[in-house]
Amino acid sequence: MVLWNKLSCLWTLGFCLVTSKRFSVPSIKDKSFIDQCVDAHNELRRQVQPPAANMKYMSWDEGLAKISKAWANQCQMEHNHCLSNSYHCHPIFISMGENIWLGDSYNLTPKSVINHWYNESIFYNFNRLQCSKICTHYTQVIWANSYKVGCAINICPDLGGTETAIFICDYGPPGNYERTPPYTKGVPCSKCGKEDSCENKLCRNKERDTLIEYPNWNPHGKAAQQTACNLLCLVCVLLRLF
């Protein structure tokens, strides 16, 4: 009877934990999720002060989203290890930028997190290119030459509690080059490229904004291939030593 009561309590606890979960992790292919991520970025990129003369419209990239999802699934509150190596993350971009947020999934939306990153602007002095606290999430969000983004969310109990979520966005090309302005200030769209059009203060280009798909590529496969290559190289070195 005592054993049954304990089992019953454990079952009830497990049921409560499952049914209390309020957040459903969106797919990186979900159009609503994609639109929320893209729209939130572009809405804020239009608002920068001083105004930007060369701010590119930011569009979705499937490859960046796959990378974000693969890393979010690792549940590590640190940047993707492949960022420091050229061509190790993305099939096209030499390198990429990355923003990470960790918090409670309750009321989590892409817009709320991206706004949180943007709010670091209060610590950033554009004219002096100085930051009094943390600004790198903000500057990556509004980096003029970063025109592709891919984001993902995952629930990570080990990083906090049952409702702890990690939200990651990867950017191409990357921003945050030291002592470099995130954009050129001036009349909106006055410094767009020759082939660009101006749409609500952002520089748009049909070719640049096209969604590229990578059906036969995934970051897991590339990582595994790189690991195998590293092991093979290690074996070769050991054979030469002996």
Side-chain angles (χ1 to χ4, degrees):
M1 189 68 174
V2 174
L3 177 60
W4 169 254
N5 287 337
K6 288 183 177 179
L7 290 173
S8 179
C9 289
L10 288 173
W11 182 88
T12 302
L13 176 60
F15 178 79
C16 289
L17 288 174
V18 172
T19 55
S20 66
K21 190 172 182 179
R22 299 178 293 270
F23 186 79
S24 178
V25 176
S27 165
I28 58 173
K29 293 184 178 294
D30 182 81
K31 186 179 185 303
S32 176
F33 175 70
I34 293 172
D35 288 345
Q36 289 178 62
C37 293
V38 171
D39 292 346
H41 276 91
N42 286 320
E43 179 183 344
L44 296 172
R45 287 163 74 85
R46 294 185 180 100
Q47 297 177 15
V48 292
Q49 292 296 330
N54 65 330
M55 186 69 71
K56 289 183 173 69
Y57 176 87
M58 187 169 278
S59 56
W60 189 258
D61 182 81
E62 183 182 89
L64 292 171
K66 286 183 175 182
I67 295 166
S68 295
K69 183 58 178 175
W71 190 242
N73 287 346
Q74 299 299 311
C75 286
Q76 298 186 50
M77 190 51 190
E78 57 185 41
H79 285 295
N80 197 317
H81 298 162
C82 74
L83 291 176
S84 59
N85 300 313
S86 298
Y87 289 113
H88 275 222
C89 289
H90 194 274
I92 292 178
F93 293 116
I94 297 175
S95 57
M96 66 182 197
E98 186 172 74
N99 278 351
I100 301 178
W101 174 90
L102 184 73
D104 198 314
S105 61
Y106 183 69
N107 286 336
L108 167 63
T109 65
K111 184 173 182 177
S112 66
V113 175
I114 297 164
N115 279 344
H116 174 77
W117 290 335
Y118 184 87
N119 288 340
E120 292 176 357
S121 59
I122 62 175
F123 306 117
Y124 188 70
N125 186 309
F126 183 92
N127 293 322
R128 296 182 179 180
L129 301 181
Q130 291 179 348
C131 178
S132 60
K133 199 172 181 181
I134 298 175
C135 306
T136 51
H137 301 95
Y138 161 70
T139 49
Q140 178 58 84
V141 168
I142 54 92
W143 200 269
N145 287 326
S146 296
Y147 60 87
K148 287 291 185 182
V149 65
C151 305
I153 301 174
N154 193 34
I155 299 297
C156 298
D158 290 345
L159 294 179
T162 57
E163 299 298 326
T164 299
I166 192 167
F167 182 98
I168 299 175
C169 286
D170 287 316
Y171 303 85
N176 292 337
Y177 291 101
E178 189 175 358
R179 305 303 301 169
T180 301
Y183 59 85
T184 301
K185 64 179 180 179
V187 176
C189 294
S190 59
K191 297 290 185 180
C192 289
K194 291 182 179 180
E195 304 299 322
D196 292 355
S197 61
C198 182
E199 182 178 303
N200 197 5
K201 300 183 179 180
L202 300 178
C203 304
R204 297 210 60 171
N205 181 290
K206 185 176 181 180
E207 182 177 350
R208 187 171 64 231
D209 297 342
T210 299
L211 175 63
I212 301 174
E213 297 181 343
Y214 309 88
N216 300 317
W217 174 85
N218 71 80
H220 292 296
K222 190 166 186 179
Q225 184 180 23
Q226 184 62 42
T227 301
C229 180
N230 291 339
L231 289 173
L232 180 60
C233 291
L234 178 60
V235 170
C236 290
V237 171
L238 291 174
L239 287 174
R240 288 187 178 183
L241 288 174
F242 296 99

